[in-house]
Amino acid sequence: MVIVLRPHVSAEQTKQVLTAIQEGGHTGYQAGPSTIVVPKNDAHLEASLATLPQVEQVMAIDSPYPLASRAFKKEDTIIDVRGHIIGGDKVTVMAGPCSVESLDNLLEIAQTVKAAGGQFLRGGAFKPRSSPYSFQGHGEEGLKMLAIARDKTGLGIISEVMEPDKVALVSEYVDILQIGARNMQNYPLLREAGKSGKPVMLKRGLSGTIDEWLMAAEYILAQGNPNVILCERGIRTFETATRNTLDLNAVPVVQSLSHLPIIVDPSHGTGKSAFVRPMARAGVAAGASGVIVEIHPTPAKAWSDAAQTLDFDEFRALVDDVERISAALTVNRPLVHA
């Protein structure tokens, strides 16, 4: 059950609603200044709360992720990040190196992304690596390089945050916080990212079900942060021909269950550069709101994930592909789902 309060309700009036919920035998969780979530539906309590003057609406929602659900919001969430729109009809392109390497390299990549029509520069300043001996990123120096690239190009910046105590630092520099697949169920990190107020892109875990993914998104939404972007980046299956299996079923399934925008990551989804472009096309054709890919002027020399990284010509061709597919569809995906 979700209780929506009227605008400009005082703290005392909010407390009255929480007290009424407690007296009704339930616990209310405040999810922002005007939203309270009660995990269970109760018709008697619903009727009682609806009579309170500070309550605008009471919604009985039968979902483990009520704030992320279509029942709570039928219209698609559209997120404005520094004038760049995520969601709706126009496809969003995010691209950049797996790891931030040097300022000159990053600026060359950023200028290429901008010229090709991309809207966001991605790049890892803090890198989660399977081996403790692999390059772990430049840390804050990498974030500073990303900020310089933004100033010179106007691109939005997205970078990964790995630890709750690094959220404030990363938020100083980036426009979108990325939660990586390994951290999809790092609940302290999800809470801190939600509290930051920054848009958050939440990648699906390697073995995460769609319900688990949406419940992870609920942790962010429950902090009063409505700007969550979902990213399908492939799941681990028995198939070994590709790094992961890019689950494009997830695109329409998520759109039927949730109002949150979803983009696809064919770089991690396939792990092989030859397959990135066709799977980007497939993702947009399936209705995804955008793609995020890894690019580098010389992929073979990339400090990490070289095998899945596109060169500049391949990237420009990919952007042309997805823009053509998006334009060919009458509507990239319905703005309202029944």
Side-chain angles (χ1 to χ4, degrees):
M1 183 164 56
V2 177
I3 299 95
V4 180
L5 304 179
R6 297 187 186 281
H8 313 300
V9 167
S10 68
E12 182 58 34
Q13 289 175 308
T14 301
K15 185 178 178 181
Q16 290 171 0
V17 176
L18 291 169
T19 299
I21 293 169
Q22 186 175 20
E23 291 175 348
H26 297 276
T27 301
Y29 298 86
Q30 194 163 355
S34 61
T35 307
I36 297 173
V37 176
V38 178
K40 293 184 178 180
N41 292 324
D42 183 322
H44 178 74
L45 179 61
E46 179 183 346
S48 175
L49 292 174
T51 65
L52 297 177
Q54 63 267 52
V55 172
E56 183 173 281
Q57 186 180 13
V58 182
M59 307 169 69
I61 298 177
D62 186 18
S63 170
Y65 39 86
L67 299 177
S69 72
R70 281 278 176 200
F72 176 65
K73 184 181 179 187
K74 292 191 179 300
E75 301 80 15
D76 288 350
T77 288
I78 297 176
I79 301 172
D80 186 332
V81 184
R82 293 172 54 90
H84 303 297
I85 303 302
I86 302 172
D89 292 340
K90 184 171 171 54
V91 66
T92 298
V93 175
M94 303 176 177
C98 177
S99 303
V100 175
E101 297 176 8
S102 69
L103 181 57
D104 287 346
N105 174 273
L106 188 65
L107 290 176
E108 183 182 4
I109 293 171
Q111 289 158 0
T112 300
V113 173
K114 176 76 171 180
Q119 296 81 36
F120 290 88
L121 176 66
R122 60 141 294 148
F126 296 93
K127 291 300 301 176
R129 305 300 299 277
S130 298
S131 169
Y133 310 116
S134 298
F135 175 63
Q136 306 288 315
H138 286 302
E140 187 172 5
E141 288 305 310
L143 294 172
K144 290 177 179 177
M145 294 182 210
L146 288 166
I148 291 170
R150 175 180 54 208
D151 292 343
K152 290 186 177 294
T153 62
L155 294 170
I157 299 296
I158 176 169
S159 193
E160 183 168 357
V161 59
M162 296 167 49
E163 304 167 61
D165 62 1
K166 292 291 194 297
V167 169
L169 171 65
V170 179
S171 295
E172 289 180 23
Y173 295 96
V174 308
D175 303 302
I176 301 176
L177 297 171
Q178 176 182 306
I179 306 294
R182 294 173 177 85
N183 278 312
M184 187 194 82
Q185 291 178 309
N186 182 339
Y187 302 123
L189 177 59
L190 297 176
R191 289 192 184 96
E192 286 303 311
K195 290 175 185 176
S196 74
K198 287 277 184 179
V200 179
M201 186 176 80
L202 178 64
K203 287 196 164 189
R204 184 179 180 182
L206 277 70
S207 301
T209 67
I210 289 175
D211 272 1
E212 288 168 340
W213 187 17
L214 289 171
M215 283 189 281
E218 191 80 4
Y219 271 83
I220 302 167
L221 296 168
Q223 301 305 315
N225 187 343
N227 297 317
V228 178
I229 306 144
L230 300 171
C231 179
E232 167 56 49
R233 48 80 66 204
I235 54 176
R236 182 167 291 171
T237 69
F238 58 81
E239 183 55 70
T240 58
T242 53
R243 178 177 177 177
N244 295 293
T245 297
L246 188 62
D247 181 16
L248 294 183
N249 292 328
V251 175
V253 171
V254 162
Q255 289 169 348
S256 71
L257 297 171
S258 176
H259 54 86
L260 298 175
I262 178 172
I263 68 171
V264 296
D265 177 354
S267 296
H268 286 89
T270 66
K272 297 185 178 182
S273 61
F275 306 144
V276 171
R277 185 177 165 196
M279 294 312 293
R281 294 195 296 252
V284 173
S289 292
V291 297
I292 181 168
V293 297
E294 293 179 351
I295 69 171
H296 194 278
T298 313
K301 295 182 179 179
W303 291 9
S304 53
D305 281 352
Q308 65 193 41
T309 299
L310 303 180
D311 65 27
F312 289 170
D313 287 340
E314 292 168 329
F315 171 63
R316 284 187 281 261
L318 180 149
V319 175
D320 185 61
D321 286 348
V322 299
E323 287 183 345
R324 286 173 181 268
I325 291 169
S326 180
L329 300 175
T330 304
V331 176
N332 191 36
R333 61 190 176 92
L335 290 179
V336 178
H337 289 256

